[in-house]
């Protein structure tokens, strides 16, 4: 490479000399030329141009004056012209003279001008070159860099050799900033003259070896632009880039990550194999050994991840916490394309976080989530609620959220989703309402349990006032009916009835098509519809006409007696239609169905042609095929291959030799500039601090601060007092915690009780805990332990550090230390599971959920006539988990159940139960299903057989049990392939209820009807005086699944519900007589239930 | 990467253009105008558009479209994030980001854009670095400059550009050393008709204002860091220490910045500070409707709710409103159909109520959906999640700074469906 230098240099110098000479001569002749041109312009263009010219004349004078300030002022105005897109090119000669000005601002503005117009005035631009060449040798790195920037931005082909020279020199500059600039210049030169590619690649190769974080990003951009296929250049630098990544500036991170994604796909084997075994030990040894000695290729049968592959995943993970959304997205796509399946879900949380960002960011992120959620529902299911639509979202965001919700729908959450959809259908944004209807259709086809429910709901929508809604419903119903046409003649009849009122052509056409397709199911109605159509045929839209002809033909074949004349009439009308498509179709149909001499062989097959069974349309996501593009790319966003898009290659079957990445010595990365790096090793950190502390000791009044944390903590707390705001906040908090003391106390005790229960049962399911009690208990705890209990707090932080997973700690305990430690450990393992097993749903099921789905969808008929009483959703959803099968008795299969208090999908008289099955054994369990039940009459809706449950995995299934309003246990057998275990579900009486909304007036009326022997009451003495109403109602709601009734009286609490099976009304009222006593009254026909509930409630309230 | 930038105002005039590579004719914007026309509402314009030769990526903020033209594949978020960074920089320099202010400072804007991108790739986006190169405008300096011909542009390389603490400049000096932190939490919630929480979560940010001399190294720790579920940090925060010790350790940028943003674990029940009793109904026959809204405190942790405001986007058919409020003022914008009820401080003894009738366009069909209510509120001195800062330590410098923490809770996207 260096051999070429001298010759190149002389060549370049020669070229420049000749150019400068010619430029000089140009400059001499320039003045008259320009003025001539101007004259010509003024003559031709008339007045307005003249004034403009005059203005520029003025500028020219200013630029040529001797005063710096005038020149600067003129340049500012010139820049103003450029920014508005006005042409200022005729000032070029005047401006370019100032390129060597001493005034830095003037100089910069001249640069701006030069870069903008050099391409148009190449000859003149050459005048400035020598100035830049001089500046390239300047001792100030800033000036060297900016000279190179401008020089390389002047798009004049003749200076290519000079640029090449300058780039090569700058690439070896001592200053990383100049080297960075040279990396940028590489791309500029390449776009100016692609023939320089080979030489530029040499420079890139050199710069790739650079150890500065400043250069890394820019050189990778150059690499991607100039030679993205030269993967071999990366090998030696791969590990260095991975290690530098965290410290590279954010924009560089994005390009490096996307380049490494491509690299990794060519160099490593797929981690997605079915039988992948992840050898923790292998990973561990890698982590431990900092020596860069690598083992040979691990191509043994069980898949083992290449350590370099792991290095990339490990080093990119922290970047998920970046504030730059582009960085987060690029890490997410890296994990999606490179990580083993069970690790991908670590990116979920960060992606969901991005949804808080600007609207445009949301748009892109939602698009990517939509693609991801098709393949991996489990990843985003726990965050389903983050995709709920707000009425203020722009339409494109709404539709994307809808898309994702549809993708996430499954048997367990469909009722929640449909309830949400019900709100959307009523949206004022009609385009969005129509999209919702399509989404309902997709849910209906995907989840067979709700098909009928959805269909009925959609039929109700047919009587909507809005045309687009109706039209969309018809189209979706058509598709749904096609998928299962068996028993829906009722719906077809209903649609026929509505036919006259529907005006949207697409909807009318769809109905006609349905009539024809299923004419054998509605033999009486179809001919009548045809008769109506014959009358108005000529006024219809083309699409409707075509379907009318279709319908006529089909009816002619099945029922020619009644429709022969009608068909002929319609065919005649069609024959003379203005549209040639319709004329064509008519001619074709006539030949096909009406027998005549000419019609030939096809006639015999008319029936088979027209009435052939048609495959049902598949309703699928619009994002189905987007996974062919790399996530996060422009191509993915547009669903079109953008120019310059680099395909991700498939994993190689056999990994290429990993030793190419070996580098002899890898020095620890050092920045040469300042010493203030991000301290990495805790060790060096400590040293750094203690040094400072020593200094402090000498200098400041903090004479005691050389000790451990405890004293410095107290001093710092003193410090923080000086911030007056903090003090006042603390004070006010104290008072608030004082006043709210009793409430927090009660809450705490309740939460204690909860945790005890949990410990007893060793359940992992977490219950939700109100944030209020959280903070309160925390405050109390800290207040008790006084401010200077540094030992306490430090040990707390130690236990914190024990759990170094970044995932949430769900609860801040005010408990004793050992207990907390145990708990935190448990939680960590739980969280790990959460992080790494996407399909497992151990996130809490939504506890605030829909009420009866059926009644919801009845509500789809947008009439605002609400019935006086309606079922509501519970306002509080405690999730108490009970054990169904212990893993010891279940030979490794453990089962727990809870009542999600969700209306049962399968039958309204059933109580829905969610069962969490966990495999604690060391082998996979197969064919888990429900076997015999007793009593035999027990009505149970079983979950679908679980084909396979991997060791350590767990799965949540929902089932329905009809307890017929008794607390008698439901006994059944839980079977696996080998074994069967008898289990029983014993419902608490409160779970046999459904909340029911009514007004206060309704409540008292119903209560009056249920007096006498239907009334049970008791007086309860509360454990603590003055329990707040909220705490009481929370207790009630935790015991029984009832709904609160708004009350006008302060001392009355009312709740109402219905029994699930027999729908008998049950009313609970609490009269808060004095501070500690409560009169509890239950009114219901079911007296047995009343007494049982009374007992449960009394117990709960007495404890509260 | 980014080839050209066009700034376009609300009515569709291009008022600034800047090219980093070859000049792209502004006619490329016509495709964008077409899309804008179709979308009606500027917020509905798709951020990414395709034209025959270019790709257009745009953002809309402060009534200005930032439209970038691109020729090759580039991650769209990369461009979007950068465009927002440009907007943030304008805000930082000029105090606002509007058409007039950009036009007034066009030279500085141009100098900034020149420094921020080189050949379409971001060069310097840190506010501290930029401010060392190009000084923000102020009256005194502009007067001096016009008199002496001095300049706004520095001629040395900012120290931040070279170090790996690019966010902080060297040689900062203050007479009063102070570090203030604001913990600001927003409640995002959707409540349904009956007041049940459909969805609620808490998002927080810690905004910092640090004016400290020299190169201080700060450590901020929390009483209850476990509350924080998902976090994202300013690049200055050392992630490793957060992972191992759950403390924020950082060398702060100089001035105002966002230290971190976080999300409170969704497992915690979110306290909803107010409840809303509402009844909005449209009568089938007569062309009128009724509205009755009452707001009361729910879980406020003993603090007062301030800045309470209710915004309702009425259906198109609602012509005028005739309402009386027991507290605060209400306005109804006839053009946009937005009803705003500015309540102010919430008095738990006397709950604010707004009731009255709505008059509808005669003959228009009854709206199918009741409009949802958007609630805005503020609670001072309270972080609703219960997050508390326990202490701030400083290493590396000898002086003793003033420190302070402030808490604030706000309503984010707080919506009540009716």
């Amino acid at each position: 490479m260096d051999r070429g230098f001298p010759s190149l240099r002389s060549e370049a110098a020669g070229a420049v000399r000749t150019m400068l000479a010619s430029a000089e001569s140009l400059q001499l002749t320039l003045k008259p030329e320009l003025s001539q041109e101007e004259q010509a312009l003024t003559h031709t263009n008339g007045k307005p141009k003249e004034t403009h010219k005059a203005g520029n004349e003025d500028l020219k004078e200013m630029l040529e004056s001797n005063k710096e300030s005038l020149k600067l002022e003129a340049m500012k105005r010139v820049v103003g012209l450029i920014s508005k897109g006005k042409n200022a090119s005729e000032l070029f000669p005047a401006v370019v003279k100032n390129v060597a000005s001493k005034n830095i601002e003037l100089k910069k503005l001249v640069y701006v001008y030069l870069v903008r117009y050099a391409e148009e005035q190449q000859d003149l631009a050459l005048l400035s070159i020598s100035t830049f060449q001089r500046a390239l040798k300047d001792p100030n790195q800033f000036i060297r860099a900016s000279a190179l920037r401008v020089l390389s931005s002047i798009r004049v082909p003749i200076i290519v050799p000079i640029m090449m020279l300058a780039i090569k020199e700058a690439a070896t500059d001592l200053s990383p900033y100049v080297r960075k600039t040279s990396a940028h210049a590489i791309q500029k030169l390449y776009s100016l003259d692609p023939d320089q590619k080979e030489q530029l690649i040499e420079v890139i190769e050199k710069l790739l070896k650079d150890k500065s974080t400043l250069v890394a990003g820019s050189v990778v951009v150059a690499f991607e632009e100039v030679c993205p296929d030269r993967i071999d250049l990366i090998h030696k630098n791969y590990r260095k880039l991975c290690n530098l990544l965290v410290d590279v500036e954010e924009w560089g991170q994005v390009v490096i990550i996307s380049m490494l994604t491509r690299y990794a796909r060519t160099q490593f084997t797929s981690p997605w194999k079915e039988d992948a075994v992840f050898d923790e030990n292998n990973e561990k040894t890698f982590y431990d050994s900092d020596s860069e000695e690598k083992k040979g290729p691990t191509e043994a049968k069980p898949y083992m991840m290449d350590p370099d592959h792991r290095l990339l995943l490990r080093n990119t993970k922290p970047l998920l916490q970046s504030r730059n959304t582009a960085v987060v997205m690029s890490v997410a796509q890296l994990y999606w394309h490179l990580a083993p399946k069970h690790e991908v879900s670590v990116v979920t949380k960060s992606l969901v976080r991005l949804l808080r960002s600007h609207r445009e960011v949301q748009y892109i992120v939602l698009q990517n989530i939509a693609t991801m959620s098709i393949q991996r529902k489990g990843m985003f299911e726990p965050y389903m609620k983050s995709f709920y639509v707000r009425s203020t979202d722009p339409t494109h965001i709404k539709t994307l959220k809808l898309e994702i919700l549809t993708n996430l729908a499954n048997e367990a959450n469909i009722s929640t989703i449909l309830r949400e959809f019900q709100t959307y259908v009523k949206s004022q944004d009609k385009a969005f309402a129509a999209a919702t209807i399509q989404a309902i259709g997709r849910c209906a086809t995907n989840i067979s349990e709700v098909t009928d429910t959805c269909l009925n709901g959609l039929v109700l929508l047919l009587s909507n006032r809005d045309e687009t809604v109706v039209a969309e419903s018809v189209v979706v119903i058509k598709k749904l009916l096609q998928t299962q046409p068996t028993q829906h003649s009722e719906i077809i009849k209903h649609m026929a009835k509505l036919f006259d009122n529907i005006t949207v052509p697409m909807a009318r056409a769809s109905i006609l098509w349905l009539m024809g397709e299923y004419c054998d199911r509605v033999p009486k109605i179809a001919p009548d519809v045809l008769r109506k159509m014959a009358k108005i045929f000529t006024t219809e839209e083309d699409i409707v006409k075509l379907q009318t002809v279709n319908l006529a033909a089909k009816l002619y074949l099945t029922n020619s007696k009644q429709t022969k004349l009608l068909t002929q009439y319609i065919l005649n009308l069609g024959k003379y239609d203005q549209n040639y498509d319709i004329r064509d179709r008519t001619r074709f149909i006539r030949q096909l169905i009406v027998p005549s001499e000419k019609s030939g062989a096809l006639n015999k097959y008319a029936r088979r042609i027209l009435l052939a069974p048609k495959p049902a349309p598949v309703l699928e996501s619009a994002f189905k095929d987007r996974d062919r593009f790399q996530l996060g790319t422009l191509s993915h966003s547009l669903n079109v291959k953008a120019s310059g898009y680099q395909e991700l290659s498939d994993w190689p079957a056999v990994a290429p030799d990993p030793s190419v990445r070996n580098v002899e010595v890898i020095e620890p990365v050092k920045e040469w500039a300042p010493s203030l790096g991000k301290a990495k090793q805790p060790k060096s950190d400590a040293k750094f601090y203690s040094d400072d502390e020593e200094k402090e000791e000498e200098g400041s009044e903090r004479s005691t601060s050389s000790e451990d944390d405890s004293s410095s903590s107290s001093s710092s707390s003193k410090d923080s007092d000086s911030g007056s705001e903090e003090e006042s906040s603390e004070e006010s908090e104290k008072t608030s915690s004082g006043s709210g003391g009793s409430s927090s106390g009660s809450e705490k005790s309740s939460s204690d009780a909860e945790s005890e229960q949990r410990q007893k049962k060793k359940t992992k399911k977490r219950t939700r805990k109100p944030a209020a009690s959280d903070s309160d208990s925390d405050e109390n705890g800290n207040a008790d332990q006084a401010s200077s209990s540094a030992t306490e707090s430090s040990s707390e932080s130690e236990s914190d550090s024990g759990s170094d997973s970044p995932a949430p700690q769900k609860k801040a305990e005010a408990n004793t230390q050992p207990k907390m430690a145990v708990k935190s450990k448990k939680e960590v393992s739980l969280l790990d599971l959460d992080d790494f097993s996407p399909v497992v749903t151990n996130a809490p099921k939504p506890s605030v959920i829909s009420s009866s789905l059926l009644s919801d969808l009845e509500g789809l008929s947008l009439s605002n006539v609400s019935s006086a009483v309606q079922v509501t959703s519970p306002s509080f959803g405690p999730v108490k988990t009970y054990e169904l099968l212990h893993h010891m008795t279940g030979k490794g299969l453990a089962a727990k159940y809870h009542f999600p208090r969700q209306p049962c999908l399968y039958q309204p008289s059933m109580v829905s139960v969610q069962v969490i099955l966990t495999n604690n054994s060391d082998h996979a369990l197969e064919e888990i299903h429900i076997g015999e039940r007793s009593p035999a009459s027990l009505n149970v809706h079983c979950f679908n057989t679980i084909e396979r449950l991997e060791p350590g995995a767990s799965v949540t299934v929902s089932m329905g049990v009809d307890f017929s309003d008794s607390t008698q246990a439901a006994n059944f057998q839980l079977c696996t392939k080998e074994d069967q275990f008898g289990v029983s579900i014993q419902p608490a009486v409160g779970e046999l209820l459904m909340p029911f909304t009514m007004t206060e007036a309704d409540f008292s009326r119903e209560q009056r009807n249920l007096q006498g022997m239907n009334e049970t009451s008791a007086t309860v003495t509360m454990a603590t005086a003055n329990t707040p109403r909220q705490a009481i109602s929370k207790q009630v709601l935790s015991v029984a699944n009832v709904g609160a009734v708004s009350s006008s009286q302060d001392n009355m609490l009312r709740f109402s519900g219905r029994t699930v099976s027999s729908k008998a009304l049950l009313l609970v009222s609490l009269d808060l007589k004095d501070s500690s006593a409560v009169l509890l009254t239950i009114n219901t026909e079911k007296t047995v239930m009343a007494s049982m509930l009374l007992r449960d409630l009394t117990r709960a309230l007495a404890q509260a | 990467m980014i080839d050209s930038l066009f700034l376009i105002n609300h009515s569709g005039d291009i008022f600034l253009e800047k090219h980093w590579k070859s000049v792209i004719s502004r006619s490329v914007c016509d495709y964008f105008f077409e899309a804008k026309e179709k979308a009606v509402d500027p917020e509905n314009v798709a951020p990414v558009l395709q034209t025959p030769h270019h790709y257009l990526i745009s953002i809309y903020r402060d009534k200005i479209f930032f439209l970038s033209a691109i020729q090759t594949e580039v991650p769209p978020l990369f461009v979007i994030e950068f465009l927002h960074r440009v907007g943030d920089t304008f805000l930082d320099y000029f105090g606002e980001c509007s058409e007039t202010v950009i036009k007034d400072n066009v030279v500085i804007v141009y100098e900034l854009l020149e420094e921020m991108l080189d050949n379409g790739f971001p060069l310097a986006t840190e506010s501290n670095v930029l401010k060392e190169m190009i000084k923000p405008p102020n009256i005194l300096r502009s007067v001096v400059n016009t008199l002496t011909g001095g300049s706004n542009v520095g001629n040395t390389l900012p120290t931040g550009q070279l170090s790996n603490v690019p966010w902080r400049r060297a040689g900062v000096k203050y007479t009063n050393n102070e570090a203030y932190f604001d913990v600001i939490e927003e409640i995002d919630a959707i409540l349904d008709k009956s007041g049940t929480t459909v969805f609620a979560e808490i998002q927080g940010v810690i905004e910092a204002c640090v004016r400290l001399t020299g190169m201080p190294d700060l450590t901020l720790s929390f009483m209850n860091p476990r509350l924080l579920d998902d976090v994202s940090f300013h690049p200055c925060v050392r992630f490793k220490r957060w992972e191992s010790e759950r403390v924020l350790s950082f060398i702060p940028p100089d001035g105002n910045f966002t230290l971190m943003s976080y999300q409170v674990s969704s497992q915690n029940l979110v306290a909803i500070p107010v409840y809303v009793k509402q009844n909005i109904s449209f009568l089938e026959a007569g062309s009128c409707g009724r509205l009755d809204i009452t707001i009361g405190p729910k879980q406020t942790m003993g603090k007062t709710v301030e800045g309470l405001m209710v915004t309702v986007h009425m259906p198109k058919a609602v012509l005028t409103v005739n309402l009386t409020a027991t507290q605060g003022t209400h306005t109804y914008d006839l053009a946009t159909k937005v009803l705003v009820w500015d309540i102010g401080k919430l008095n738990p003894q006397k709950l604010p109520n707004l009731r009255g009738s709505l008059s509808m366009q005669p003959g228009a069909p009854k709206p199918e959906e009741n409009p949802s209510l958007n609630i805005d509120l503020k609670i001072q001195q309270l972080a609703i999640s219960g997050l508390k800062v326990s202490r701030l330590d400083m290493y590396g410098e000898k002086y003793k700074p003033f420190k302070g923490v402030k808490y604030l809770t706000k309503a984010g996207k707080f919506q009540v469906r009716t």
Side-chain angles (χ1 to χ4, degrees), chain A residues 482-500:
Chain A
Q482 236 179 314
T483 55
Q484 39 164 244
T486 41
Q487 69 286 56
H488 293 302
S489 54
E490 277 308 313
I491 294 174
I492 300 178
K493 276 179 200 157
H494 185 73
M495 288 168 85
K497 268 180 224 157
L498 289 171
F499 185 73
D500 292 337

Side-chain angles (χ1 to χ4, degrees), chain A residues 84 325 635 733 768 809, chain B residues 26 73 81 226 269 388:
Chain A
K84 290 196 194 83
T325 56
S635 308
E733 263 151 31
R768 313 203 315 173
Q809 294 302 327
Chain B
R26 45 165 76 190
E73 169 68 51
E81 178 80 24
R226 280 152 191 254
L269 208 59
K388 289 207 72 150

Side-chain angles (χ1 to χ4, degrees), chain B residues 277-296:
Chain B
K277 268 191 199 161
Q278 41 75 28
N279 183 18
I280 303 178
S281 57
F282 299 105
L283 298 180
E284 188 73 69
S287 52
C288 68
R290 299 204 58 76
L291 178 140
D292 189 344
I293 305 173
T294 310
I295 297 190

Side-chain angles (χ1 to χ4, degrees), chain A residues 346-401:
Chain A
V346 298
V347 306
T348 313
K349 213 184 278 174
S350 308
L351 283 180
V352 173
R353 182 186 71 227
L354 297 190
L355 297 181
R356 280 279 296 173
S357 190
H358 302 284
R359 184 180 56 250
E360 297 85 6
V361 175
Q362 283 181 36
Y363 175 74
I364 303 291
V365 173
L366 285 172
Q367 278 186 330
N368 285 294
I369 292 180
T371 304
M372 293 165 107
S373 62
I374 291 174
Q375 289 179 38
R376 310 283 296 279
K377 278 185 194 190
M379 263 176 87
F380 292 98
E381 213 201 314
Y383 297 90
M384 193 175 80
K385 291 194 172 170
S386 306
F387 304 109
Y388 279 6
V389 173
R390 290 161 204 282
S391 59
T392 41
D393 286 335
T395 311
H396 54 255
I397 302 273
K398 282 184 190 163
T399 20
L400 280 171
K401 284 184 172 173

Side-chain angles (χ1 to χ4, degrees), chain B residues 152-164:
Chain B
N152 274 334
V153 180
N155 70 339
T156 48
L157 184 64
T159 47
Q161 191 63 286
L162 285 175
S163 71
N164 50 0

